[in-house]
């Protein structure tokens, strides 16, 4: 039986809005904390867009869309998350930002049994756990983009995570949100990105050396290997800044050259060519 009814989400970018969407569809009270009034407006629009997509695909009805929107409220005050039973952190993939945030949430969230969950793609969970006074309640709950469509969630317990916290987090993800779970050890990148990122970096190196164009690589993997999307379009969708951050975390952890971010990727990030979200990456988007 689900004992979690009040959900907090920190951040309302692509991942935060997706998590808010699936929690609202599940009938939960969702409070999203963002940094500014402008972020509130952008977050509300992302949430509407996500729910509208579900409506167009006949995954939800008009009534379910309206009910979900009513269940989500926004705030610019992190302190409003005090009564939440689970809080999902979806801040940018920057370790110092996440550590500061978990330190703040530790002081704000009142319930000592509340779960503090990170959606990080690569940062070891134990580092965030140590930023709090309740490391047993800190866990990784890594959704995949787009959150409403993809069924998988990685659950990552640190060496300090309580067994009860893991069990409650998994029960919430499976029983309440209807997702499927795989467990990962607390290593940078976890299971999926430890496999995926070297593949994406290999494709980027092929472009960098002139071995093949982005179009050729993506067409080859879609038509030749039955992948739903080529590696460079996938990197653009994830965000090249996020790909670079994950690669950097993996390289720092394992010191393996397969994880080293190629110079082309770093220059594109420095130039603001981040993929679909900025309109240009390895491909151009309208």
């Amino acid at each position: 039986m689900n004992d979690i009814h009040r959900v907090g989400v920190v951040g309302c970018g692509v991942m935060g809005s997706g998590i808010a969407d699936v929690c609202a569809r599940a009938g939960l009270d969702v409070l999203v904390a963002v940094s500014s009034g402008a972020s509130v407006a952008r977050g509300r629009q992302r949430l509407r867009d996500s729910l509208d997509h579900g409506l167009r695909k006949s995954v939800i009805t008009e009534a379910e869309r309206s009910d979900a929107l009513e269940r989500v409220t926004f705030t610019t005050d992190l302190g409003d998350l005090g009564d939440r039973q689970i809080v999902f952190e979806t801040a940018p993939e920057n370790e110092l930002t996440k550590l500061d945030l978990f330190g703040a949430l530790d002081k704000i969230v009142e319930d000592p049994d509340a779960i503090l969950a990170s959606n990080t793609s690569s940062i070891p969970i134990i580092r965030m756990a140590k930023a709090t006074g309740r490391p047993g309640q800190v866990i990784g709950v890594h959704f995949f983009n787009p959150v409403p469509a993809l069924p998988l969630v990685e659950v990552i317990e640190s060496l300090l995570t309580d067994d009860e916290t893991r069990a409650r987090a998994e029960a919430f993800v499976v029983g309440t949100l209807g997702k499927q779970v795989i467990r990962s050890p607390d290593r940078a990148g976890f299971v999926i990105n430890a496999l995926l990122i070297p593949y994406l970096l290999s494709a980027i190196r092929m472009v960098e050396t002139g071995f093949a164009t982005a179009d050729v690589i993506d067409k080859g993997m879609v038509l030749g290997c039955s992948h739903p999307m080529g590696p460079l379009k996938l990197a653009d969708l994830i965000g090249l800044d996020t790909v670079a951050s994950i690669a950097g975390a993996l390289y720092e952890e394992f010191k393996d050259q397969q994880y080293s971010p190629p110079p082309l990727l770093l220059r594109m990030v420095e130039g603001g060519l981040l993929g679909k979200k900025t309109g240009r990456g390895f491909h151009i988007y309208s």
Side-chain angles (χ1 to χ4, degrees):
M1 183 176 178
N2 176 34
D3 65 335
I4 296 173
H5 307 283
R6 297 185 301 280
V7 177
V9 180
V10 181
C12 202
V14 172
M15 298 305 295
S17 60
I19 293 170
D21 178 332
V22 296
C23 289
R25 291 191 202 187
L28 303 169
D29 171 6
V30 184
L31 178 59
V32 182
V34 294
S35 59
S36 67
S39 296
V40 169
R42 288 193 296 269
R44 279 204 180 103
Q45 189 57 53
R46 286 192 186 98
L47 179 61
R48 287 192 196 99
D49 290 345
S50 181
L51 290 165
D52 286 345
H53 182 76
L55 183 62
R56 288 194 301 273
K57 294 290 187 180
S58 299
V59 176
I60 56 173
T61 65
E62 182 67 52
E64 288 169 335
R65 174 194 177 277
S66 298
D67 288 344
L69 281 172
E70 289 181 3
R71 293 189 188 104
V72 182
T73 54
F74 288 80
T75 181
T76 57
D77 183 357
L78 200 65
D80 289 340
L81 297 175
D83 70 339
R84 301 292 99 176
Q85 296 167 295
I86 187 169
V87 178
F88 293 102
E89 169 274 312
T90 70
E93 200 71 359
N94 178 284
E95 184 171 333
L96 291 178
T97 298
K98 290 180 184 290
L99 294 182
D100 287 345
L101 183 53
F102 271 85
L105 289 172
D106 183 37
K107 297 178 176 64
I108 290 166
V109 179
E110 297 163 4
D111 183 352
D113 295 322
I115 297 172
L116 304 183
S118 177
N119 187 60
T120 179
S121 302
S122 59
I123 300 169
I125 302 303
I126 200 166
R127 297 178 189 171
M128 287 169 274
K130 289 292 289 180
T132 76
R134 53 175 112 178
Q137 278 64 56
V138 178
I139 194 166
V141 182
H142 180 215
F143 293 83
F144 293 85
N145 181 34
V147 176
L150 293 187
L152 184 67
V153 176
E154 280 182 307
V155 171
I156 308 102
E157 56 183 319
S158 83
L159 294 172
L160 303 176
T161 303
D162 290 343
D163 289 343
E164 183 179 355
T165 298
R166 177 190 50 75
R168 290 179 67 217
E170 289 183 350
F172 178 78
V173 168
V174 175
T176 302
L177 301 186
K179 300 292 189 182
Q180 297 184 45
V181 163
I182 59 171
R183 294 183 191 173
S184 169
D186 190 18
R187 305 289 187 273
F190 317 127
V191 171
I192 301 304
N193 280 319
L195 287 168
L196 175 63
I197 293 299
Y199 165 60
L200 302 184
L201 298 183
S202 179
I204 292 170
R205 291 188 187 103
M206 291 182 83
V207 174
E208 183 174 55
T209 61
F211 188 91
T213 66
D215 286 335
V216 166
I217 293 167
D218 282 347
K219 184 176 182 179
M221 295 309 294
V222 170
L223 300 182
C225 295
S226 295
H227 288 200
M229 184 182 296
L232 297 162
K233 277 198 174 180
L234 179 55
D236 280 350
L237 177 63
I238 294 169
L240 300 186
D241 52 341
T242 301
V243 172
S245 293
I246 299 170
L250 284 161
Y251 184 71
E252 179 186 351
E253 177 103 323
F254 299 109
K255 299 298 186 291
D256 189 324
Q257 278 301 122
Q258 68 174 329
Y259 299 125
S260 178
L264 174 60
L265 174 62
L266 299 177
R267 294 300 87 74
M268 292 177 75
V269 171
E270 288 170 351
L273 308 177
L274 307 182
K276 192 170 183 180
K277 62 186 171 185
T278 59
R280 182 180 168 193
F282 288 99
H283 300 278
I284 296 175
Y285 304 86
S286 59

